[in-house]
Amino acid sequence: MKLSLSVAPLLLSTLVASKSFHFGSQQQPLVDGSLSVPGNNPLEFCADPTNYILAIDHVDLDPNPPQKGKALQIKAKGNFTEEVEQGAYINLSVRYGLITLVKTTADLCEQMKEVDESCPLEGVKDFTKDVTLPKEIPPGTYTVLADVYTQEAKQVTCLKATVHFS
């Protein structure tokens, strides 16, 4: 369980970052077929983000890729194209190779407090979050999936990332 808790800050911070972005416009259609989230990060959308409520302008991680035992700064911008109210939730999973370390559902509005935001979430958001990743993260490949929904089960966003720690 300690291993899963070590990776959770990276996942949740990245997810929160992606949710708090300042996006000035609607999500851009994927012209090149790439699902990469704009910016300097290992994030990908789970599917074409055109219909997501959260239109992500960019997410920047420093350093990218993240390094265990080091500070990680996350800068994000985006736009909630619809109001997201209390009751919104995140389905979160973290895998180490083929082993599932974490599979949980978390309250989105509670997580947003980590970046000084509160529900309802709407309009343009811009934030920076600093986290320190533990030195104790075992070497290997970690895959994180964060699928976010409103209380009415409308998809806010879905992001995934694969990060390798040596």
Side-chain angles (χ1 to χ4, degrees):
M1 186 55 129
K2 183 172 183 161
L3 171 61
S4 62
L5 294 177
S6 300
V7 179
L10 170 63
L11 174 59
L12 290 176
S13 296
T14 302
L15 173 62
V16 166
S18 67
K19 287 186 248 135
S20 286
F21 313 91
H22 159 322
F23 313 68
S25 61
Q26 294 282 338
Q27 188 76 42
Q28 296 297 313
L30 298 174
V31 178
D32 63 358
S34 169
L35 293 177
S36 296
V37 172
N40 185 25
N41 65 72
L43 297 170
E44 292 184 342
F45 295 107
C46 302
D48 184 338
T50 304
N51 295 319
Y52 290 166
I53 292 173
L54 177 63
I56 297 174
D57 181 61
H58 73 269
V59 177
D60 292 324
L61 303 183
D62 184 24
N64 182 34
Q67 299 173 12
K68 62 183 177 180
K70 304 282 185 182
L72 173 66
Q73 184 175 70
I74 304 159
K75 292 183 179 181
K77 291 184 177 185
N79 182 38
F80 288 92
T81 60
E82 297 177 27
E83 186 174 270
V84 177
E85 299 176 335
Q86 290 287 338
Y89 59 94
I90 307 162
N91 290 325
L92 177 66
S93 70
V94 179
R95 289 185 306 142
Y96 176 71
L98 298 175
I99 301 167
T100 299
L101 300 174
V102 175
K103 188 168 187 165
T104 189
T105 299
D107 183 300
L108 174 64
C109 297
E110 285 298 314
Q111 297 303 316
M112 294 307 297
K113 291 177 183 177
E114 294 295 318
V115 290
D116 300 322
E117 292 287 342
S118 61
C119 288
L121 300 166
E122 59 185 325
V124 173
K125 300 291 180 183
D126 187 355
F127 87 93
T128 299
K129 176 73 176 173
D130 294 311
V131 296
T132 300
L133 299 179
K135 291 184 236 175
E136 299 82 12
I137 298 174
T141 300
Y142 294 81
T143 304
V144 177
L145 174 68
D147 202 3
V148 185
Y149 292 89
T150 66
Q151 182 176 13
E152 296 80 25
K154 288 183 71 176
Q155 195 164 38
V156 175
T157 193
C158 182
L159 301 172
K160 59 185 177 180
T162 300
V163 178
H164 182 79
F165 291 101
S166 13

